[in-house]
Amino acid sequence: MKNILIYAYTEFNLGDDLFIKVLCDRYPDTEFSLLAPGKYKISFKGLKNLRVHASDSILIRGINFLFKKIKRSDFVHKFLVNRSDGIVHIGGSIFMQGEYWKEYFHKAETIRNKSKPYFLLGANFGPYSDDEYYQTHKELFQQYSDICFREEYSYQLFKDLRNVRLAPDIIFQLAPPESHVKENYVAISVIKPSSKGLGGYDLLYYEKMKDVAMHCIQQGFEVHFLSFCEHEGDHEAIDQIISLLPKELVPQTKIHLYTTNIEEILTVLAQSSFVVASRFHAMILGWVYHKPVFPIAYSNKMINVMQDAGFTGEYTDFAGLESLQPEQVFNSMSTNELNISTQVIQAEGHFEMLDSYLSLQSRRAYESKTEYS
């Protein structure tokens, strides 16, 4: 059995954790490793082919501390890279230019073993503000085994590289539940705008979400608030919105906070009547579960994917948030469905090259075993 090391965003973000789930479910005969906080053992206890190395354990922290003393930082990470048969870097917004991007870039390259196959799947590139960031990554990407972006904009930036491909978001491949009962509630996924670089929008956004929730309740629906990532402020955002609601309406709301229970959030979305999606993957999952979705786009990546998918329904971005009316959101319940049957098929393209690599590795292992038997 081959061992593949997974690079992913491990801050208990539902979308990124779903990437890991889809990857491991697709290759049950491959052993995967992930360096992540120990609570991820709870998140992925059902994935028998995934081994989580607890980055916050006393043992791993102690080993890294000792090796840092002799100028060999991230020893455990390097060890896992060197013992793997390849790396899959899977995620969405993993190439946003930050203030310290050069330090991060250098650290990542120090760990990378250039003799190992490296697959970059599911990402988009940017936002970025200077050409050096773009050119540095373009030179790096030429060294990767395979790159598959999830939207046209990112693909166009690098399409002249021989190893760059395009496919819709990986989560389009998540199988909808075989059966579920649609219930009379609206699911609202929230964000803390300032955590997404939208400084100055927090109070306006909370007021607008309060207005949308009130209108839905007045139309006879419950409202279920969904937090996809505590680390990025979703829990805090829900608390702020709830605090703005009239006390008599609060009993008509429920709160679902994702930490380690993936299935709970998926079930809430699958049973909803309508999804108001501030989170990127709430939008995707709403479409996967055949729900009308009203997107609240906090970045161009959401708008890019809407355009790629042919979505022509109502939505807002943050520039238009102030003029957003709750009636506009609620009325889109009858108009904002999207047929994604094409995207479901095309999204498998992310794994085209990884399929070939793992198939080749398995065949070689089999031939080696039979040769000496």
Side-chain angles (χ1 to χ4, degrees):
M1 181 180 289
K2 293 301 175 182
N3 182 279
I4 298 295
L5 180 63
I6 300 172
Y7 283 178
Y9 179 70
T10 52
E11 291 289 354
F12 301 98
N13 179 301
L14 180 71
D16 290 277
D17 293 352
L18 284 172
F19 284 148
I20 297 169
K21 173 179 168 56
V22 169
L23 175 65
C24 294
D25 281 343
R26 184 177 181 87
Y27 304 105
D29 296 326
T30 297
E31 180 181 296
F32 292 95
S33 296
L34 178 71
L35 184 62
K39 282 177 65 177
Y40 268 96
K41 294 183 179 182
I42 301 172
S43 303
F44 296 127
K45 62 183 178 182
L47 296 176
K48 304 306 180 185
N49 60 332
L50 175 64
R51 182 178 181 184
V52 175
H53 302 270
S55 58
D56 51 1
S57 69
I58 294 174
L59 175 62
I60 289 181
R61 288 167 60 195
I63 291 172
N64 279 332
F65 177 78
L66 289 173
F67 277 88
K68 190 174 182 180
K69 287 286 188 181
I70 59 173
K71 310 297 184 184
R72 294 181 63 188
S73 59
D74 291 310
F75 173 81
V76 173
H77 205 160
K78 291 179 184 177
F79 173 79
L80 293 174
V81 169
N82 291 334
R83 73 180 290 270
S84 73
D85 296 300
I87 292 88
V88 171
H89 192 172
I90 192 167
S93 300
I94 51 182
F95 293 105
M96 297 183 293
Q97 183 179 351
E99 183 178 359
Y100 302 105
W101 72 266
K102 290 183 181 179
E103 290 87 341
Y104 176 82
F105 182 91
H106 176 73
K107 181 180 178 181
E109 279 301 280
T110 300
I111 295 170
R112 188 167 68 95
N113 184 329
K114 296 181 181 180
S115 70
K116 304 290 183 179
Y118 197 105
F119 300 85
L120 171 62
L121 306 179
N124 51 267
F125 191 85
Y128 67 97
S129 57
D130 64 68
D131 193 58
E132 182 184 5
Y133 183 83
Y134 167 70
Q135 293 296 341
T136 300
H137 283 86
K138 187 169 186 177
E139 291 176 12
L140 172 67
F141 289 167
Q142 295 179 62
Q143 302 173 35
Y144 287 3
S145 304
D146 179 49
I147 299 171
C148 193
F149 289 113
R150 69 179 176 183
E151 32 96 296
E152 183 75 26
Y153 170 79
S154 298
Y155 172 72
Q156 289 295 328
L157 289 173
F158 301 99
K159 66 178 182 179
D160 57 321
L161 300 183
R162 58 167 181 77
N163 56 340
V164 168
R165 301 180 298 108
L166 172 68
D169 191 82
I170 285 171
I171 304 307
F172 279 117
Q173 295 175 75
L174 192 72
E178 292 184 4
S179 63
H180 59 270
V181 178
K182 185 170 82 170
E183 298 187 10
N184 199 47
Y185 64 81
V186 174
I188 302 180
S189 82
V190 307
I191 59 168
K192 181 180 179 180
S194 55
S195 76
K196 297 295 186 182
L198 294 165
Y201 279 99
D202 285 3
L203 294 181
L204 173 63
Y205 171 78
Y206 299 151
E207 282 285 344
K208 290 296 181 178
M209 292 304 95
K210 178 264 293 182
D211 291 344
V212 170
M214 284 182 60
H215 187 75
C216 291
I217 293 169
Q218 290 163 355
Q219 301 305 311
F221 288 81
E222 282 192 346
V223 171
H224 290 213
F225 291 104
L226 279 64
S227 163
F228 276 28
C229 185
E230 180 179 13
H231 176 72
E232 295 178 5
D234 292 17
H235 290 22
E236 178 187 342
I238 290 175
D239 289 342
Q240 293 292 328
I241 296 165
I242 292 289
S243 73
L244 297 172
L245 281 170
K247 287 186 171 56
E248 65 271 18
L249 298 186
V250 173
Q252 302 304 311
T253 68
K254 291 184 179 179
I255 297 173
H256 305 272
L257 308 177
Y258 173 67
T259 51
T260 59
N261 191 342
I262 292 175
E263 294 304 322
E264 177 191 353
I265 300 296
L266 296 184
T267 299
V268 171
L269 287 166
Q271 294 181 344
S272 68
S273 296
F274 179 47
V275 178
V276 180
S278 302
R279 276 281 176 185
F280 177 91
H281 278 112
M283 177 180 74
I284 300 294
L285 288 166
W287 292 339
V288 168
Y289 292 151
H290 310 297
K291 305 297 176 182
V293 177
F294 187 92
I296 300 175
Y298 65 82
S299 76
N300 285 337
K301 73 175 183 180
M302 290 182 73
I303 296 172
N304 292 341
V305 169
M306 282 188 266
Q307 292 173 345
D308 290 351
F311 178 74
T312 58
E314 292 275 344
Y315 76 94
T316 189
D317 57 14
F318 273 73
L321 189 61
E322 189 167 8
S323 61
L324 181 68
Q325 298 300 312
E327 294 83 2
Q328 173 189 355
V329 178
F330 184 82
N331 291 341
S332 67
M333 185 185 299
S334 61
T335 61
N336 273 26
E337 290 193 45
L338 178 68
N339 184 332
I340 59 161
S341 55
T342 300
Q343 285 74 25
V344 170
I345 296 169
Q346 292 177 341
E348 284 208 68
H350 277 285
F351 297 113
E352 179 182 330
M353 300 305 293
L354 187 59
D355 283 350
S356 297
Y357 173 69
L358 291 177
S359 175
L360 178 63
Q361 292 293 94
S362 297
R363 187 162 64 249
R364 284 177 176 171
Y366 173 77
E367 290 171 350
S368 176
K369 182 178 179 180
T370 54
E371 180 180 350
Y372 292 101
S373 62

